[in-house]
């Protein structure tokens, strides 16, 4: 009796309904403010709104989308800008876009995976993906990695199928979406190529769409910047930045330790690892290939992925896919022992996401989701909004405010951050080891020209610790900038050369 449940049309209807309710309950409550705003997402939001408006500004700096300070691609940024402007420029629109991406990935599991794993195992993967805590947190944030994750899952599902023009071009479409989002698409391209290693005709089919995507983004950026050589300079600088990063973080046995610590961080990852081992067979070989290539290339020089998990989101759906393949393999093996009753195996396995759902639901409904990098996340969004209101009431759009993007996205005046101001002053700092030319700035990122300086939680916990940035604190102290607004985590200092505006 139980073995026939998964084949009943009503089961499929109710399972899709449950999937939708699970998504809505875990991803929509308190979406705007929980988890707190994070620097990479607010920077993407600001640049995305600029791209959607037809520009390409990283606040005071012209963006090439390849500079070490912002190497995310304009395709995803444009979508973020469009989603935000649909909500009058608010962050909630862009966050909703990413929550919808999580739902789209879940649907892709069940509709793209049924042919390979069966409906119930595919549903299991979808629900495991949706209910895992890191998915809930990171698909509320604004990250290009989220669209890369969708693209990589699309690619993996179609290289699992027999090579054909349709499957290869669809897999290439997934790589194209990833290429419009982040340079990490290259890891997925290597994995897809290895999966089709014996089919040279598939290489061209896989490459067509991502090649067009990269050509389009590079071409648009080059035409926008020509005749300035900034695009090529930044590509070289990015390569040098990551080479140095690899030397600092992936030498010796450190790569092995990185991989071990990542897959042993919790039961979800450990289970995915062993399920991937069960998938080492002809039918499911693409799963361990994808995980070995993408996670291997990422983890070999990154020690901090368990804390800054957003980088691992690109292969998070593949981890859930490993569960579908592993459970399906167990079902097939048990069929020779218990017959058709083996079809109950994936049904019983659905208790895993049920447990995760009940575990994470209270935090979602109460708005108390806590990311592992909470120390570097906005500690009080209410305080940030109060500080932003004060600045907007005491400034005009032509004014300049030096501040972090966690508050900058809320401000009406022009903004630059402490590191851009440091680079403008002629002092190299993190990601600005090579100082940009002054004509690359859209306006002077000059502290002397700023009406206000804002120091927030992230500045005190991270920015001021970067090379040469602490000169700013010494300067405003020496010049006696008065503090005109103070909260628990934020303070606003006014430039004494300007008269503080009245509201």
């Amino acid at each position: 009796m139980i073995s026939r449940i998964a084949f009943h049309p009503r089961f499929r209807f109710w399972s899709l309904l449950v999937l939708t309710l699970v998504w809505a309950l875990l991803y929509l409550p308190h979406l705007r403010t929980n988890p707190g705003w994070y620097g990479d997402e607010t920077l993407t939001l600001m640049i995305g709104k600029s791209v959607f408006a037809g520009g390409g500004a990283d606040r005071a700096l012209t963006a090439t989308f390849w500079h070490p300070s912002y190497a995310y691609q304009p395709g995803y940024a444009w979508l973020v800008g469009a989603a935000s402007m649909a909500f009058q420029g608010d962050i909630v629109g862009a966050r909703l876009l990413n929550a919808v991406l999580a739902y789209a990935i879940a649907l892709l599991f069940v509709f793209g995976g049924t042919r390979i794993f069966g409906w119930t195992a595919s549903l299991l993967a979808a629900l495991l993906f949706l209910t895992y805590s890191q998915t809930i947190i990171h698909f509320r944030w604004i990250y290009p990695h989220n669209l890369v994750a969708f693209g990589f899952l699309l690619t993996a599902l179609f290289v699992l199928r027999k090579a054909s023009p349709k499957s290869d071009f669809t897999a290439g479409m997934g790589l194209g979406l990833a290429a419009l989002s982040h340079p990490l698409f290259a890891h997925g391209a290597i994995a897809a190529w290895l999966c089709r290693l014996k089919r040279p005709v598939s290489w061209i089919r896989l490459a067509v769409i991502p090649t067009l995507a990269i050509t389009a983004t590079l071409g648009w950026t080059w035409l926008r910047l020509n005749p300035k050589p900034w695009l090529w300079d930044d590509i070289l600088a990015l390569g040098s930045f990551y080479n140095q990063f690899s030397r600092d973080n992936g030498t010796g046995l450190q790569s092995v330790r990185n991989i071990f610590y990542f897959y042993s961080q919790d039961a979800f990852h450990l289970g995915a690892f062993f399920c991937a081992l069960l998938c080492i067979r002809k039918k499911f070989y693409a799963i361990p290939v994808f995980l070995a290539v993408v996670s291997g290339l990422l983890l070999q020089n990154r020690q901090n992925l368990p804390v800054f998990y957003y980088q691992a989101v690109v292969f998070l759906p593949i981890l859930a896919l490993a569960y579908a393949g592993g459970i399906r393999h167990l079902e097939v093996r048990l069929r020779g022992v218990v017959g058709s009753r083996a079809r109950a195996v994936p049904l019983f396995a659905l208790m895993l996401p049920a447990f995760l759902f009940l575990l994470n639901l209270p935090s979602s409904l109460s708005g108390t989701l806590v990311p592992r990098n909470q120390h570097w996340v906005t500690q009080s969004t209410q305080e940030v909004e109060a500080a932003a209101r004060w600045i907007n009431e005491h400034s005009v759009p032509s004014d300049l405010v030096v501040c972090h993007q966690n508050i900058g996205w809320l401000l009406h005046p022009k903004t630059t951050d402490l590191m851009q101001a440091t680079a403008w002053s002629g002092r190299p700092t993190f990601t600005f080891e090579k100082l940009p030319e002054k004509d690359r700035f859209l306006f002077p990122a000059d502290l002397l020209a700023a009406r206000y300086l804002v120091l927030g939680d992230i500045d005190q916990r991270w920015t001021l610790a970067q090379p040469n940035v602490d000169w700013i604190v010494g300067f405003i102290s020496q010049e006696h900038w008065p503090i005109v607004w103070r909260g628990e985590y934020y303070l606003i200092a006014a430039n004494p050369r300007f008269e503080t505006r009245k509201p």
Side-chain angles (χ1 to χ4, degrees):
M1 176 69 178
I2 194 170
S3 65
R4 299 194 192 98
I5 293 177
F7 294 92
H8 200 286
R10 287 185 180 178
F11 172 76
R12 298 196 173 197
F13 169 78
W14 286 108
S15 62
L16 284 175
L17 181 61
V18 167
L19 186 148
T20 303
L21 290 174
V22 165
W23 170 77
L25 289 170
L26 292 180
Y27 290 79
L28 298 185
H30 307 279
L31 176 61
R32 185 176 185 273
T33 56
N34 183 231
W37 304 325
Y38 185 60
D40 280 17
E41 71 157 344
T42 49
L43 180 58
T44 303
L45 173 65
M46 294 185 74
I47 293 177
K49 289 195 283 189
S50 173
V51 173
F52 182 71
D58 175 2
R59 295 153 300 165
L61 202 67
T62 300
T64 66
F65 305 97
W66 291 89
H67 190 273
S69 65
Y70 188 85
Y72 303 159
Q73 297 301 288
Y76 174 82
W78 186 92
L79 289 174
V80 164
S84 173
M85 296 311 295
F87 287 78
Q88 291 75 51
D90 195 81
I91 196 171
V92 72
R95 282 194 163 193
L96 180 60
L97 167 70
N98 286 268
V100 170
L101 272 176
Y103 183 63
I105 288 173
L107 293 179
L108 185 58
F109 274 117
V110 292
F111 289 108
T114 300
R115 177 175 167 181
I116 306 164
F117 308 105
W119 179 270
T120 317
S122 300
L123 177 65
L124 168 68
L127 288 171
L128 274 174
F129 171 79
L130 283 181
T131 57
Y132 179 52
S133 60
Q134 295 306 309
T135 313
I136 300 167
I137 288 170
H138 288 85
F139 279 82
R140 285 167 168 256
W141 269 333
I142 304 166
Y143 281 116
H145 305 74
N146 297 342
L147 186 55
V148 176
F150 178 89
F152 279 6
L153 178 61
L154 182 64
T155 299
L157 285 172
F158 278 85
V159 296
L160 277 164
R161 300 185 181 191
K162 185 178 179 181
S164 69
K166 180 181 178 180
S167 61
D168 290 343
F169 279 119
T170 305
M173 187 183 301
L175 295 176
L177 290 171
L180 291 170
S181 308
H182 199 292
L184 286 175
F185 90 93
H187 295 355
I190 294 171
W193 173 73
L194 287 174
C195 291
R196 291 286 194 258
L197 188 60
K198 297 181 179 180
R199 300 277 301 182
V201 68
S202 295
W203 303 350
I204 298 174
R205 298 169 187 161
L206 287 169
V208 168
I209 297 178
T211 299
L212 290 174
I214 286 292
T215 301
T217 56
L218 285 175
W220 174 74
T221 305
W222 179 79
L223 289 172
R224 186 169 55 86
L225 301 178
N226 189 53
K228 299 294 184 180
W230 299 332
L231 173 61
W232 316 119
D233 290 348
D234 283 0
I235 291 174
L236 293 174
L238 185 66
S240 176
F241 177 83
Y242 278 113
N243 282 337
Q244 183 61 47
F245 188 83
S246 294
R247 286 194 292 270
D248 294 341
N249 296 279
T251 56
L253 291 175
Q254 187 59 52
S255 296
V256 178
R257 286 194 288 266
N258 293 347
I259 294 171
F260 172 79
Y261 290 137
F262 180 82
Y263 278 102
S264 61
Q265 65 181 281
D266 58 28
F268 174 85
H269 287 82
L270 200 59
F273 178 81
F274 286 112
C275 283
L277 294 180
L278 293 176
C279 293
I280 301 177
R281 57 198 65 257
K282 184 176 181 181
K283 188 174 182 179
F284 301 143
Y285 72 97
I287 297 172
V289 168
F290 252 85
L291 282 182
V293 172
V294 179
S295 69
L297 290 173
L298 270 176
L299 296 171
Q300 54 90 21
N301 64 356
R302 287 172 172 83
Q303 303 176 33
N304 62 354
L305 250 66
V307 176
F308 296 95
Y309 192 89
Y310 66 89
Q311 302 165 88
V313 165
V314 297
F315 62 90
L316 181 54
I318 313 301
L319 292 170
L321 197 65
Y323 279 94
I327 291 295
R328 179 63 174 173
H329 172 68
L330 288 176
E331 178 188 350
V332 172
R333 291 294 296 269
L334 287 173
R335 195 175 297 165
V337 180
V338 297
S340 61
R341 284 175 292 179
R343 292 170 180 165
V345 170
L347 285 173
F348 284 120
L350 289 173
M351 289 188 291
L352 293 173
F355 170 76
L356 291 176
F357 172 73
L358 294 174
L359 184 67
N360 291 308
L361 181 61
S363 297
S364 173
L365 295 179
S366 61
T368 55
L369 292 165
V370 179
R372 294 173 180 172
N373 59 342
Q374 176 66 25
H375 182 74
W376 296 275
V377 170
T378 299
Q379 303 299 300
S380 171
T381 56
Q382 295 86 355
E383 182 180 305
V384 173
E385 292 190 278
R389 280 194 300 271
W390 189 94
I391 292 174
N392 288 335
E393 291 168 356
H394 294 80
S395 62
V396 295
S398 59
D399 287 336
L400 174 64
V401 178
V402 177
C403 64
H404 194 269
Q405 57 268 21
N406 281 349
I407 187 173
W409 74 270
L410 287 161
L411 299 182
H412 300 153
K414 297 178 296 185
T415 67
T416 188
D417 72 352
L418 279 70
M419 290 197 292
Q420 287 187 355
T422 298
W424 173 270
S425 74
R427 299 171 173 88
T429 188
F430 179 66
T431 70
F432 291 101
E433 287 81 7
K434 179 184 177 183
L435 294 174
E437 297 88 345
K438 287 295 177 72
D439 62 347
R440 179 156 174 188
F441 287 86
L442 299 167
F443 52 84
D446 190 353
L447 184 62
L448 289 173
R451 182 172 289 277
Y452 300 112
L453 168 71
V454 183
L455 292 177
D457 41 29
I458 185 62
D459 299 311
Q460 298 168 55
R461 298 179 182 195
W462 184 80
T463 316
L464 291 172
Q466 302 312 305
N468 297 320
V469 178
D470 59 355
W471 75 275
I472 290 176
V473 175
F475 179 83
I476 66 170
S477 176
Q478 181 180 352
E479 295 292 314
H480 305 292
W481 285 38
I483 296 174
V484 293
W485 191 97
R486 184 191 291 273
E488 183 179 357
Y489 301 103
Y490 271 69
L491 64 84
I492 302 170
N495 189 337
R497 292 176 175 79
F498 295 85
E499 182 179 334
T500 302
R501 295 186 185 275
K502 304 298 182 182

